[in-house]
C-alpha cells in the first residue's frame, strides 16, 4: 500500500469532517452525522461508497459464520479500497477490525469523536479526530456540539450591581456623565 496515498486520503477526510458543525446532538446522532459525512466525502470523490460493508473480520462465537461490518467502505478506481469506522468510545474491537482490514490491503481509518483525549491506534490504522463539546441535556443525557473554530462563546462578564445606588460604580464612581455639569442628564447647549 502506498503510504503517501493513505496520508492524502486521511488528510482529505479530516478536512471534510473539519467543516462539520452541529449543536446539541446525542451520541447516536453524532455518530450518524459522522458516518453520513464520510459517505458524502467518498461520494464527492467520485468513488463507490457502501454503508455497513462486510469486514474481513469474522464475528466471535457463536456468530463466527458471519462477518463484522465497517461503517463505510469506499471502492476507488485507482488505489487501495478505504474502510472507515466511526466511534465515540475507545473500542478494542474496532482497532482489531481495522488492523485486519489494513492487513487485507485497505486504507483503514478510525474516526474518533469526543471531548477527551484520543489514544492513537497502532499503525497502519490511521485516525481522524473530531473534538466536540458536551453538556448535560434536560433529560440528563449528554448533548454534543461541534462549532466552527471561529465561533467563540460569549465572554464571561463580571457581576455588577445595577441598582440605582450601584450604577455610579459603572462609570468610575461618579453618577454623572462626562461633560454633564448638572449630573442628571446630557449637557444642553
Amino acid at each position: 500500500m502506498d503510504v503517501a496515498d493513505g496520508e492524502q486520503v486521511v488528510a482529505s477526510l479530516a478536512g471534510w469532517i473539519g467543516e462539520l458543525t452541529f449543536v446539541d446532538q446525542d451520541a447516536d446522532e453524532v455518530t450518524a452525522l459522522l458516518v453520513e459525512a464520510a459517505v458524502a466525502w467518498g461520494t464527492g470523490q467520485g468513488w463507490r461508497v457502501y454503508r455497513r460493508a462486510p469486514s474481513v473480520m469474522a464475528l466471535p462465537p457463536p456468530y463466527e459464520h458471519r462477518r463484522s461490518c465497517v461503517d463505510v467502505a469506499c471502492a476507488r478506481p485507482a488505489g487501495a479500497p478505504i474502510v472507515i469506522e466511526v466511534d465515540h468510545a475507545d473500542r478494542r474491537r474496532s482497532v482489531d477490525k481495522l488492523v485486519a482490514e489494513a492487513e487485507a490491503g485497505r486504507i483503514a481509518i478510525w474516526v474518533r469523536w469526543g471531548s477527551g483525549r484520543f489514544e492513537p491506534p497502532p499503525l497502519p490504522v490511521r485516525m481522524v479526530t473530531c473534538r466536540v463539546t458536551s453538556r448535560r441535556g434536560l433529560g440528563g443525557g449528554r448533548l454534543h456540539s461541534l462549532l466552527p473554530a471561529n465561533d467563540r462563546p460569549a465572554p464571561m462578564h463580571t457581576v455588577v450591581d445595577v441598582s440605582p445606588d450601584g450604577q455610579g460604580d459603572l462609570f468610575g464612581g461618579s453618577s454623572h456623565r462626562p461633560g454633564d455639569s448638572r449630573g442628571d442628564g446630557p449637557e444642553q447647549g
Side-chain angles (χ1 to χ4, degrees):
M1 180 172 52
D2 182 0
V3 174
D5 179 43
E7 294 304 319
Q8 288 173 343
V9 165
V10 169
S12 175
L13 178 58
W16 188 279
I17 288 176
E19 296 295 318
L20 286 178
T21 62
F22 52 84
V23 176
D24 290 347
Q25 303 293 306
D26 68 24
D28 291 339
E29 291 169 328
V30 173
T31 298
L33 283 168
L34 289 169
V35 167
E36 289 307 312
V39 167
W41 167 77
T43 302
Q45 305 298 318
W47 302 330
R48 288 186 320 227
V49 178
Y50 305 92
R51 289 177 179 86
R52 301 210 30 88
S55 173
V56 297
M57 186 171 175
L59 291 170
Y63 304 105
E64 64 272 2
H65 61 284
R66 295 184 183 171
R67 293 277 170 212
S68 182
C69 292
V70 294
D71 291 321
V72 179
C74 301
R76 306 185 298 162
I82 300 165
V83 294
I84 302 167
E85 193 72 8
V86 178
D87 282 316
H88 179 223
D90 186 4
R91 296 178 45 199
R92 182 75 219 164
R93 181 150 174 75
S94 291
V95 172
D96 293 344
K97 182 190 319 183
L98 289 168
V99 167
E101 293 290 339
E103 289 172 352
R106 294 163 175 87
I107 296 173
I109 304 172
W110 196 18
V111 176
R112 286 287 315 280
W113 68 270
S115 56
R117 187 169 176 256
F118 301 109
E119 204 53 48
L123 290 175
V125 177
R126 293 167 170 88
M127 182 169 17
V128 171
T129 60
C130 179
R131 188 162 308 283
V132 301
T133 58
S134 298
R135 68 176 186 84
R136 185 170 306 283
L138 293 177
R142 304 295 299 170
L143 296 176
H144 311 281
S145 298
L146 177 61
L147 301 173
N150 61 355
D151 188 17
R152 296 182 182 167
M156 296 298 295
H157 297 283
T158 57
V159 178
V160 177
D161 179 11
V162 291
S163 67
D165 295 337
Q167 288 187 16
D169 290 343
L170 291 173
F171 302 102
S174 172
S175 63
H176 73 278
R177 295 182 191 135
D180 181 6
S181 60
R182 297 180 312 207
D184 61 352
E187 188 172 337
Q188 302 291 322

